[in-house]
């Protein structure tokens, strides 16, 4: 592939300097990492783990609860409606999503992909007048998610999850 395609994944995982830097940094703070949010354009969705398989994760119920609170907050604050759930249910099986890597490899339970405002009219070329409203959506959702995670001690155990899914082979 030429690399011009909007969905071009690169020749292999972490092939780009930017993604290598993010992976290095996240790995260095993995024991402090309580939640991770990966921002994407576009579709108004709050995505829960995992995106590369239809297999349900053991902590799916809490992901759905956090996502419900986050999307409700977005709707109450900005009026925008976001759907929520696994990417495999809302869209399709994806690959190369950093939130899946953080969930699977860094063992951070609270990882979410946020598909920003716009349902496809502007796609990846959001006009400047839409940037602040998209930022308001993200702020409302993330603040709500962090508050929910932090105020419910059972959501934030700090212990390692037992993996009940096959480890994905990530290449670096």
């Amino acid at each position: 592939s030429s690399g011009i395609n909007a969905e071009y994944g690169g020749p292999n995982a972490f092939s780009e300097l930017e993604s290598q830097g993010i992976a290095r940094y996240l790995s260095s703070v993995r024991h402090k990492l309580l939640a991770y949010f990966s921002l994407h354009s576009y579709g108004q969705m709050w995505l829960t783990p995992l995106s590369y398989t239809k297999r349900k994760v053991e902590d799916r119920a809490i992901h759905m609860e956090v996502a419900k609170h986050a999307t409700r907050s977005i709707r109450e604050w900005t009026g925008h409606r976001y759907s929520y759930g696994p990417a495999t249910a809302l869209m399709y099986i994806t690959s190369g999503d950093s939130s899946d890597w953080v969930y699977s490899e860094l063992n951070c339970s609270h990882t979410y992909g946020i598909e920003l405002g716009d349902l496809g009219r502007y796609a990846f070329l959001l006009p400047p007048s839409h940037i602040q409203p998209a930022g308001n959506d993200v702020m409302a959702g993330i603040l709500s998610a962090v508050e929910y995670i932090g105020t419910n001690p059972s959501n934030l155990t700090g212990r390692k999850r037992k993996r009940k899914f096959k480890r994905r082979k990530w290449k670096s």
Side-chain angles (χ1 to χ4, degrees):
S1 185
S2 68
I4 296 173
N5 181 326
E7 296 178 15
Y8 177 68
N12 56 311
F14 303 112
S15 61
E16 307 308 314
L17 292 175
E18 296 84 356
S19 59
Q20 292 169 21
I22 291 169
R24 254 191 322 275
Y25 174 74
L26 291 173
S27 294
S28 76
V29 298
R30 73 186 303 156
H31 300 294
K32 299 177 187 178
L33 200 58
L34 303 177
Y36 178 80
F37 304 91
S38 177
L39 305 180
H40 302 255
S41 298
Y42 54 92
Q44 292 183 206
M45 291 179 267
W46 191 280
L47 305 174
T48 61
L50 291 165
S51 299
Y52 68 87
T53 179
K54 290 185 177 186
R55 190 172 311 121
K56 292 179 182 174
V57 295
E58 69 182 64
D59 41 5
R60 181 178 190 269
I62 191 60
H63 294 140
M64 296 299 282
E65 195 64 27
V66 170
K68 179 175 79 174
H69 281 273
T71 57
R72 182 185 303 143
S73 181
I74 293 169
R75 186 177 65 251
E76 289 171 356
W77 192 6
T78 69
H80 297 149
R81 295 187 179 278
Y82 277 61
S83 51
Y84 63 91
T88 55
L90 297 176
M91 302 185 315
Y92 43 81
I93 291 177
T94 67
S95 63
D97 191 301
S98 64
S99 59
D100 281 353
W101 179 78
V102 171
Y103 182 86
S104 299
E105 296 300 314
L106 301 186
N107 208 29
C108 179
S109 287
H110 289 286
T111 63
Y112 303 93
I114 304 170
E115 296 287 343
L116 297 175
D118 185 45
L119 294 170
R121 180 174 181 191
Y122 301 107
F124 299 103
L125 301 173
L126 205 59
S129 63
H130 290 241
I131 294 171
Q132 183 66 44
N136 291 340
D137 288 352
V138 170
M139 183 63 72
I142 289 177
L143 287 175
S144 175
V146 169
E147 179 181 31
Y148 185 79
I149 293 165
T151 57
N152 293 281
S154 63
N155 299 338
L156 203 54
T157 62
R159 66 176 187 265
K160 296 282 187 183
R161 272 188 344 270
K162 292 181 182 176
R163 291 186 178 91
K164 289 189 177 182
F165 55 92
K166 184 179 177 186
R167 270 183 90 115
R168 176 129 179 192
K169 303 290 183 196
W170 302 96
K171 297 176 187 174
S172 50

